Amino acid sequence: MSDENNKKPSLEVHLDVDGLDIHAAPRRHSADLDQLLERKGAHSFVFIPLAEFRGKKRLKASKAQARAAKKKQKLPEGQWLDGELRNTNDGETVPGVLAFDIRRRDARAVAEKVGVKRFVWGAHGAPAEEHSSKISADDDAYSWSSARRRALD
């Protein structure tokens, strides 16, 4: 999936919940995740990492845990399950949390509040999707035809 010129890491969510060892990757369907959603009676999930990948500038484990704990306090009330997000290119992992039945729009707001740039969202029977916490908007400064023309040029 990732080539030499692509700087974007290839991601995988890893969870150990209710005896299930779950792996889910954006743009891929996960039968294990579907099974977990069925067990919880949920239709969708969101996984929000509590840190960004740092590459060669990784933090010490104690400092990384302290930062993750601080971000965890910013999460809204609800059942948040611990997990990790892994960069499959270099094996780097960051802690994260999983919740059920949260809409994408709400997940985006939570990710932005926590201070991370992206999150993974998915629904039962569908591939997981990677999303950005920021939405690009031009505040209606351009017409649709102008925006389309600029995008296609």
Side-chain angles (χ1 to χ4, degrees):
M1 180 179 126
S2 183
D3 63 5
E4 301 288 327
N5 297 329
N6 190 358
K7 301 282 186 200
K8 191 173 180 182
S10 179
L11 306 176
E12 179 180 75
V13 174
H14 178 245
L15 303 156
D16 187 9
V17 180
D18 297 341
L20 287 175
D21 186 34
I22 300 168
H23 296 269
R27 296 176 299 284
R28 293 195 184 114
H29 175 259
S30 170
D32 292 336
L33 201 48
D34 281 350
Q35 186 178 1
L36 178 63
L37 288 170
E38 288 170 8
R39 280 188 182 183
K40 298 293 183 179
H43 300 289
S44 65
F45 75 92
V46 63
F47 184 85
I48 298 179
L50 297 174
E52 298 289 337
F53 291 116
R54 299 183 59 90
K56 294 178 182 177
K57 299 177 183 179
R58 295 181 188 169
L59 298 175
K60 291 183 180 178
S62 60
K63 194 170 190 176
Q65 289 172 348
R67 283 189 179 180
K70 195 173 185 180
K71 287 186 177 191
K72 224 174 183 180
Q73 293 174 351
K74 296 178 182 180
L75 293 170
E77 292 294 319
Q79 182 183 11
W80 294 91
L81 305 174
D82 292 325
E84 64 183 23
L85 187 65
R86 187 169 76 92
N87 178 344
T88 57
N89 295 339
D90 66 5
E92 181 181 2
T93 61
V94 294
V97 290
L98 178 92
F100 301 103
D101 287 338
I102 294 182
R103 297 180 323 179
R104 273 180 281 216
R105 180 181 304 154
D106 297 336
R108 183 171 282 114
V110 170
E112 192 169 0
K113 181 178 179 182
V114 168
V116 294
K117 295 179 183 171
R118 54 189 174 179
F119 61 94
V120 178
W121 185 90
H124 187 279
E129 304 168 356
E130 183 181 352
H131 291 274
S132 173
S133 61
K134 301 280 186 199
I135 297 178
S136 299
D138 62 6
D139 297 326
D140 297 328
Y142 300 98
S143 68
W144 170 248
S145 60
S146 173
R148 185 171 185 271
R149 188 174 49 252
R150 283 184 295 123
L152 296 175
D153 287 344

